[in-house]
Amino acid sequence: MPGDSPLVGGRPLPEVVRRIIADVLVVALEEVQPGKGLVRDLGAESIDFMDLVFRLEDALECQIPFPRWQRFIEATLEGQDLAVAITPEVVQLFAERELAGA
Amino acid sequence: MSERVAVTGAGVVTPIGAGYESFRDGLRSGRSGVGRIRAFDCAGLSTQIAAEVDHRQGDLSAWVEPRTSAKLMSRAAMFAAAAAAMARRQALLGRDGVDPRRLGVVVGAGGMGPTDLDLLATQAQAAIDAAREVGTGRWDVPTFARLFTERTNPIATLRGLPNLAAAQLAIQHDARGPNATITTACCAGTQAIGEGLRLIQRGDADVVLAGGTDAAVNPVAVLGFSLLGTLSRCNAEPGRASRPFDRQRDGFVIGEGAGFVVLERESFAQARGAPVLAELAGYGVTCDAYRITDERPDAAEAAHAISLGLRDAEMEPRDLGYINAHGTGTRMNDITETRAIRLSLGAHAADVPVSSTKSMIGHLLAAAGAVELAATLIALTEGFLPPTINLEDPDEECDLDYVPNVARAASPTAALSTSFGFGGQNACLVIRRW
């Protein structure tokens, strides 16, 4: 439920994250669906994740050193194929933690 | 006898039009693309004019593939992507038309100043805020570093790589053959196409995308060239500012854009039934080895470059029916170039029409030679010679036929394009009807 999500700039976080992913990967918003692999399905390359984290910083109004994203991915998706495992839900989880000051 | 090299496509992004037809029509009408600078607030600058590429030239990002590439591109790389894609389309060279390993890329690139206005603004603001925060009013690197790191999207820094345009072209066109970037300033576009010719002649590629690109309408480049005293200050009448070979000239006008051609080995082009615009017949290159911004007054090495180009094409001066001059509109260039043409062509110099398309599009720096080769191709194939506009009061030291003010009907069978760079590099290309 959107009502359960924290608001960022007056909009629910999932919506903000989805918009950022679409902008970074230059895809239509409708293509950013749960379970989609950012690399395999949406064409992300390594530089796009730097862009993604920078835009999250802007949206969440906080500083996010890129290595923190890398550590989060290693810890959360250990042993998985990152081409499919990094999904919009994973990005959202990261954003929630950053917002909570993790 | 070695195989000839065909030019099968030409694409341009220029201040008077993007695309071959639009550029051709602009050249024919003698239109100026110079205006008051729109890219940034130029109030107070000694030069407030430039020849910019604007929205009237269409959405250039539509030419970029893959779609995510656009955000990584500098303005110059975007121009290059558009011009190269246009050239390939004209050449009717489809995705599977060439073995990727036999497709090369050579790009003339890299100008003065930053490549990205947004990045420059971020840097400048971080420096200002750092000085304010430290309170000393001085350049404080640690504070600047922190602010810059906080505010800069990492991908923006990539746009400054000089080889970025060549890399993006390789990705877009799956060009896995030789890939080079030439950074000889105002000579770069011409040299890139010349070196592309050599790649094919050496057997290193069947097809080469070659050209030049530049986007130097930014405060640092405008101020830099102003400090060097090379820019026109004719702010009141932008359309009349670029006036090569005219006594009232007062410097060049910075332009921006890109030009690309598709070069092909003769048998390769014939085997696929490619449309051929012309033969790229010769290339000559030398260096003054004299001074950074002064040309050799006797024009000996500039003249030698022209002689080498003609010899490479196995042509005599009398074979030339048109010269597209470097023609910047600085006193030194115009006089030295006139001398170089006289020296290399001898008695025939008086009979060859010479024009400077910079009078219309300004000086595109690293892209200049490539766009001007496209103008030379148009002169060879479209039945008219582009004029030198604003030539109202000819300098008596410039005594050639400069095709003043209006396009002239003519059908030359061979033509030459020259470029000379800060640093002393001289280059020319010779094209001939197929």
Side-chain angles (χ1 to χ4, degrees):
Chain A
M1 291 291 289
D4 300 337
S5 305
L7 294 180
V8 174
R11 291 190 299 155
L13 183 65
E15 190 187 315
V16 171
V17 166
R18 200 169 163 220
R19 179 82 259 169
I20 288 175
I21 293 172
D23 286 348
V24 165
L25 301 178
V26 199
V27 295
L29 199 57
E30 303 75 58
E31 288 188 57
V32 185
Q33 294 294 341
K36 289 270 188 183
L38 264 60
V39 176
R40 190 195 63 185
D41 302 317
L42 300 176
E45 55 184 292
S46 60
I47 190 77
D48 290 320
F49 290 104
M50 290 192 167
D51 191 15
L52 180 76
V53 170
F54 180 80
R55 293 188 201 220
L56 281 174
E57 279 185 316
D58 250 11
L60 307 182
E61 295 178 342
C62 63
Q63 292 294 312
I64 313 174
F66 191 68
R68 201 146 79 209
W69 160 263
Q70 292 171 304
R71 283 195 299 274
F72 167 80
I73 291 298
E74 281 165 21
T76 313
L77 305 176
E78 193 189 352
Q80 299 184 46
D81 177 2
L82 297 184
V84 292
I86 304 177
T87 58
E89 301 93 295
V90 170
V91 178
Q92 192 185 319
L93 179 62
F94 177 71
E96 281 167 6
R97 289 196 185 181
E98 288 297 322
L99 209 53
Chain B
M1 189 178 153
S2 64
E3 285 193 57
R4 295 185 293 171
V5 171
V7 183
T8 55
V12 291
V13 174
T14 83
I16 59 168
Y20 182 90
E21 287 81 12
S22 159
F23 182 48
R24 176 196 62 201
D25 296 346
L27 292 177
R28 185 184 275 138
S29 63
R31 196 154 57 78
S32 170
V34 181
R36 187 177 167 83
I37 291 172
R38 288 180 293 260
F40 57 89
D41 180 0
C42 60
L45 273 65
S46 57
T47 290
Q48 303 177 357
I49 51 172
E52 295 177 270
V53 171
D54 63 20
H55 58 91
R56 286 170 296 184
Q57 271 75 293
D59 176 19
L60 299 175
S61 68
W63 292 93
V64 176
E65 291 173 31
R67 60 184 191 280
T68 47
S69 288
K71 70 177 184 184
L72 298 175
M73 285 182 165
S74 64
R75 188 167 169 80
M78 178 77 76
F79 291 159
M86 291 171 194
R88 186 166 183 166
R89 177 180 289 185
Q90 189 181 38
L92 304 177
L93 182 63
R95 188 79 184 167
D96 302 322
V98 55
D99 174 354
R101 289 181 173 170
R102 299 289 298 164
L103 175 58
V105 171
V106 190
V107 179
M112 191 182 273
T115 52
D116 191 271
L117 268 182
D118 293 338
L119 183 58
L120 171 67
T122 305
Q123 289 168 332
Q125 196 58 52
I128 292 164
D129 294 348
R132 190 174 295 145
E133 192 173 309
V134 173
T136 61
R138 297 227 307 268
W139 171 244
D140 182 85
V141 176
T143 311
F144 167 76
R146 177 171 55 73
L147 295 176
F148 179 74
T149 304
E150 284 173 10
R151 298 173 183 185
T152 308
N153 189 332
I155 69 171
T157 62
L158 274 178
R159 298 186 196 125
L161 285 175
N163 65 334
L164 195 81
Q168 295 284 15
L169 290 186
I171 292 167
Q172 175 156 353
H173 295 275
D174 195 20
R176 307 185 196 186
N179 188 292
T181 300
I182 291 184
T183 53
T184 48
C186 315
C187 193
T190 292
Q191 233 181 318
I193 295 172
E195 296 302 324
L197 170 71
R198 295 288 185 257
L199 280 181
I200 295 176
Q201 289 173 330
R202 280 206 306 267
D204 291 341
D206 293 325
V207 181
V208 173
L209 294 171
T213 187
D214 216 332
V217 185
N218 64 66
V220 175
V222 172
L223 289 169
F225 282 117
S226 289
L227 283 171
L228 292 167
T230 55
L231 293 187
S232 169
R233 299 177 174 201
C234 187
N235 299 323
E237 293 182 279
R240 302 183 70 205
S242 185
R243 35 198 322 115
F245 310 113
D246 186 276
R247 201 198 308 260
Q248 305 303 323
R249 62 178 153 359
D250 68 338
F252 72 82
V253 174
I254 293 183
E256 61 176 0
F260 273 81
V261 289
V262 178
L263 305 177
E264 298 188 40
R265 187 163 53 80
E266 179 173 14
S267 57
F268 185 87
Q270 284 175 339
R272 71 177 190 89
V276 177
L277 295 171
E279 176 191 3
L280 181 56
Y283 167 49
V285 59
T286 65
C287 188
D288 273 5
Y290 178 61
R291 293 175 183 166
I292 292 299
T293 60
D294 297 339
E295 299 171 28
R296 271 187 191 273
D298 65 4
E301 304 316 316
H304 189 50
I306 296 173
S307 299
L308 288 174
L310 288 175
R311 189 191 306 170
D312 194 38
E314 298 179 339
M315 277 168 38
E316 300 292 332
R318 66 171 176 277
D319 299 323
L320 281 182
Y322 171 65
I323 296 176
N324 187 293
H326 190 53
T328 55
T330 63
R331 187 166 189 277
M332 182 171 57
N333 175 85
D334 293 355
I335 291 172
T336 311
E337 181 164 21
T338 298
R339 200 165 288 155
I341 291 170
R342 285 210 170 274
L343 207 54
S344 53
L345 303 193
H348 186 65
D351 305 326
V352 189
V354 178
S355 71
S356 171
T357 40
K358 286 188 179 74
S359 60
M360 293 172 271
I361 62 174
H363 190 345
L364 274 58
L365 306 170
V371 170
E372 285 156 18
L373 184 74
T376 312
L377 279 165
I378 286 167
L380 200 71
T381 56
E382 300 284 345
F384 75 95
L385 307 180
T388 303
I389 67 168
N390 298 321
L391 185 45
E392 293 156 342
D393 182 11
D395 183 332
E396 68 277 5
E397 289 191 67
C398 300
D399 54 357
L400 299 172
D401 170 9
Y402 300 107
V403 195
N405 303 315
V406 287
R408 182 186 303 169
S411 296
T413 54
L416 176 99
S417 177
T418 57
S419 293
F420 311 110
F422 268 1
Q425 286 92 0
N426 311 301
C428 75
L429 296 166
V430 180
I431 56 172
R432 179 161 52 201
R433 284 204 194 165
W434 190 249

